[in-house]
Amino acid sequence: SEGKKKEVKKETGLGLSNKKDDNFGEWYSEVVVHGEMIEYYDISGCYILRPWAMSIWEILQNFFDAEIKKMKIKNCYFPLFVSSGVLQKEKDHIEGFAPEARVAWVTKSGESQLEMPIAIRPTSETVMYPYFSKWIRGHRDLPLRLNQWCNVVRWEFSNPTPFIRSREFLWQEGHTAFATKEEADSEVLEILELYRRIYEEFLAVPVIKGKKSEHEKFAGGLYTTTVEAFVPNTGRGIQGATSHCLGQNFAKMFEINFENEKGDKAMVWQNSWAYTTRTIGVMIMVHGDDKGLVLPPRVASIQVIVIPVPYKDADTRGIFDACSSAVKSLVDSGIRAEADFRENYSPGWKYSHWEMKGVPLRIEIGPKDLANNQVRAVRRDTSSKHDVPTGELVERVKGILDDVQENLFQAAKRKLDACIQSVHTWDEFVEALGQKRMILAPWCDEEEVEKEVKARTKGEMGAAKSLCSPFDQPELPDGTLCFASGKPAKKWTYWGRSY
């Protein structure tokens, strides 16, 4: 039977050839393609987002867009192209952005060289702010709060990975200007909370809110806040989304001034904030398993797949009708449900197919179920099976989907908590790093010390860096020393390797 099993699997072409725990990189590459999230493209580092992935992006977009509209932030669209003059102006901010390495340039039109090369936006500060300067004249023009949904291009050369690091990706970028620092500070955290909700409430991925170090913050900004996720399988942190307070650096650079209520000239305070299609990659990495994707119900475009299981002499028509009626009652109650009536595939093949695509709940209806006026419900996250009376279908399915969403988050939270380790000394730090941990350590908050940590941990796996200093700070007893320099520690900071 072992040989036969293998033969059937080969014939269906389903199933992953790599296990998540054995070869994570290969497993991930397989799961994004077999789960029909992406297709590889003929330009390296670019990927086709298929409807299965795009529908997740749209669900997140609908949530976030409605929330920022409540905050009176308005959508706009600025051009994709940036003049080289404006990019030059931004030298200071760009130093951390290394445009020469990551900006793509248009140099020709047809056969003729352009007089001046034109950059493709890697981010839009320099695209937008000359116009902020034009539109903001007096305090009545403030706050100016804009957002755009668009694509950006960063010509990466290191390890392109679908969703996680690609040359073109989708994002929203918010750009706002205020009369006071207090208003800017308050918005930074309001947006960061929306990012936390995207990860925790929609994608069921636990994140840590905190502040980036001076070394890791957005170049040219005043400070950067972040939601950091962690991938236990690789022992790597991943920046989930960032909300920056830019202070007045850009106002200075682009002369964004206004006349305040006293009639004096003042500079605006600015923020910028963004989350990208990387969110989807983090979700796949955290929840996926050896059968494929595992989608949290809140973001699954199909939450329930109904599969008829007719036997040779069964009442096929009756079974198909029961499937259609189950789908109808689920859809009427707001659940995203579909039936798979394809006749050229066996029920077993369909089970594997929809498991690979991560659908949260499968409903099977066979002759016995029909006779007993029930359906069989099978969860994707735990594989547990439940017989559900047809009369209670909608209510029970809603309950199961809520439970799947909660269970995925709790399981991921337990894994994350198990990976977090507090250390006090350099030796403990190195040991924890070797065990793929997310490390919480007391730090003196000096940039030179952070650079040294990076240099001392360089190796095949990549260097360790600070991920964030959590807002939720554990107690720091007097006399606590920095794990790396031995100087007095100022705060607790998370460290680790990262994507």
Side-chain angles (χ1 to χ4, degrees):
S1 82
E2 196 52 57
K4 198 170 171 199
K5 242 192 202 152
K6 280 210 172 98
E7 191 178 287
V8 172
K9 184 176 161 186
K10 221 187 266 166
E11 181 188 291
T12 61
L14 282 176
L16 301 171
S17 49
N18 287 282
K19 292 206 176 327
K20 188 177 185 183
D21 289 343
D22 298 346
N23 190 336
F24 185 82
E26 292 299 320
W27 167 84
Y28 181 78
S29 303
E30 254 192 307
V31 97
V32 291
V33 174
H34 287 321
E36 298 179 352
M37 296 291 267
I38 64 128
E39 188 56 75
Y40 284 90
Y41 191 60
D42 68 351
I43 294 172
S44 163
C46 298
Y47 308 97
I48 298 161
L49 297 188
R50 298 186 65 179
W52 202 241
M54 204 59 198
S55 58
I56 296 174
W57 182 243
E58 285 172 340
I59 288 168
L60 301 180
Q61 182 174 26
N62 290 340
F63 160 72
F64 189 81
D65 203 60
E67 290 297 325
I68 61 175
K69 284 187 170 121
K70 287 181 203 165
M71 293 165 68
K72 300 202 164 50
I73 293 162
K74 295 187 166 53
N75 283 328
C76 61
Y77 184 78
F78 279 74
L80 171 70
F81 299 116
V82 194
S83 67
S84 52
V86 181
L87 266 188
Q88 286 311 108
K89 189 171 189 174
E90 210 194 358
K91 260 300 191 227
D92 176 40
H93 149 70
I94 284 249
E95 213 128 288
F97 201 79
E100 48 287 346
R102 297 173 24 156
V103 172
W105 294 88
V106 179
T107 56
K108 284 172 89 168
S109 153
E111 286 307 303
S112 52
Q113 288 289 129
L114 294 182
E115 246 175 77
M116 288 294 280
I118 293 168
I120 297 174
R121 64 172 164 233
T123 175
S124 300
E125 281 78 9
T126 54
V127 179
M128 294 184 171
Y129 297 167
Y131 300 92
F132 275 38
S133 156
K134 185 177 182 178
W135 298 334
I136 296 169
R137 285 286 174 250
H139 61 89
R140 287 183 192 81
D141 300 324
L142 292 170
L144 177 59
R145 306 174 82 179
L146 301 180
N147 175 68
Q148 68 173 359
W149 293 94
C150 63
N151 58 343
V152 284
V153 173
R154 299 180 184 178
W155 212 254
E156 303 281 0
F157 288 98
S158 63
N159 301 336
T161 307
F163 298 112
I164 302 296
R165 186 176 290 282
S166 55
R167 286 179 168 177
E168 179 191 7
F169 53 85
L170 301 181
W171 75 351
Q172 62 61 226
E173 50 176 325
H175 294 271
T176 54
F178 299 92
T180 65
K181 181 173 188 289
E182 290 68 39
E183 291 169 279
D185 287 337
S186 147
E187 184 198 69
V188 165
L189 296 181
E190 222 178 316
I191 293 291
L192 194 71
E193 171 60 10
L194 293 179
Y195 292 155
R196 182 201 66 78
R197 289 181 63 191
I198 282 174
Y199 275 100
E200 298 198 338
E201 295 177 15
F202 284 82
L203 301 169
V205 170
V207 288
I208 292 165
K209 279 184 175 182
K211 198 169 163 182
K212 288 280 188 191
S213 68
E214 283 300 298
H215 187 59
E216 290 292 332
K217 75 176 186 186
F218 180 61
L222 183 60
Y223 63 86
T224 290
T225 67
T226 179
V227 285
E228 292 286 320
F230 190 74
V231 180
N233 285 72
T234 56
R236 287 180 190 275
I238 185 157
Q239 182 177 294
T242 45
S243 182
H244 315 284
C245 179
L246 302 176
Q248 295 181 307
N249 297 350
F250 287 89
K252 209 171 281 163
M253 213 182 299
F254 290 97
E255 294 171 25
I256 311 174
N257 303 314
F258 70 102
E259 198 175 283
N260 65 19
E261 284 162 356
K262 294 178 186 145
D264 301 329
K265 194 171 120 175
M267 273 191 302
V268 299
W269 292 85
Q270 286 173 274
N271 293 338
S272 69
W273 28 269
Y275 81 91
T276 78
T277 32
R278 168 179 272 202
T279 45
I280 300 170
V282 177
M283 173 203 74
I284 298 168
M285 288 182 162
V286 169
H287 301 307
D289 63 18
D290 292 342
K291 290 183 190 171
L293 299 168
V294 177
L295 300 184
R298 283 193 80 172
V299 293
S301 60
I302 300 176
Q303 295 169 314
V304 180
I305 188 74
V306 180
I307 297 177
V309 191
Y311 291 105
K312 283 185 185 116
D313 306 322
D315 170 8
T316 308
R317 185 74 265 145
I319 290 173
F320 274 43
D321 288 348
C323 289
S324 297
S325 116
V327 169
K328 187 180 183 323
S329 54
L330 291 169
V331 168
D332 288 349
S333 75
I335 292 165
R336 298 188 285 273
E338 284 185 18
D340 185 347
F341 289 132
R342 293 177 292 176
E343 284 177 10
N344 51 337
Y345 293 107
S346 68
W349 187 93
K350 292 177 186 178
Y351 297 170
S352 299
H353 172 75
W354 294 107
E355 280 175 350
M356 177 72 74
K357 286 176 71 85
V359 172
L361 191 65
R362 174 172 88 234
I363 284 178
E364 307 165 8
I365 302 179
K368 268 189 192 155
D369 303 301
L370 196 61
N372 295 332
N373 210 7
Q374 65 178 34
V375 305
R376 167 153 286 199
V378 185
R379 285 172 59 148
R380 174 65 181 86
D381 61 333
T382 60
S383 303
S384 61
K385 299 177 166 69
H386 314 259
D387 288 328
V388 177
T390 309
E392 298 170 21
L393 181 67
V394 168
E395 197 182 324
R396 289 280 297 275
V397 164
K398 280 190 167 160
I400 293 172
L401 291 176
D402 287 346
D403 198 57
V404 171
Q405 183 79 29
E406 181 59 21
N407 182 52
L408 283 174
F409 178 75
Q410 293 303 341
K413 183 90 174 75
R414 283 192 299 274
K415 277 190 189 152
L416 170 65
D417 292 344
C419 287
I420 293 175
Q421 193 171 330
S422 292
V423 307
H424 283 84
T425 67
W426 179 257
D427 289 347
E428 290 173 350
F429 177 80
V430 171
E431 189 184 339
L433 196 61
Q435 292 166 347
K436 298 186 178 174
R437 297 286 195 250
M438 187 177 193
I439 303 161
L440 186 58
W443 178 40
C444 61
D445 198 12
E446 289 182 16
E447 201 169 337
E448 282 314 306
V449 174
E450 179 171 5
K451 286 180 182 164
E452 214 171 281
V453 171
K454 253 185 177 167
R456 285 168 76 183
T457 53
K458 263 206 170 72
E460 270 174 39
M461 299 276 292
K465 61 181 187 185
S466 72
L467 303 172
C468 74
S469 298
F471 292 144
D472 192 3
Q473 281 280 319
E475 197 191 334
L476 190 68
D478 279 350
T480 305
L481 301 179
C482 168
F483 78 101
S485 66
K487 297 176 182 173
K490 292 190 181 148
K491 56 172 152 187
W492 288 92
T493 299
Y494 282 104
W495 299 77
R497 296 198 173 88
S498 98
Y499 280 93

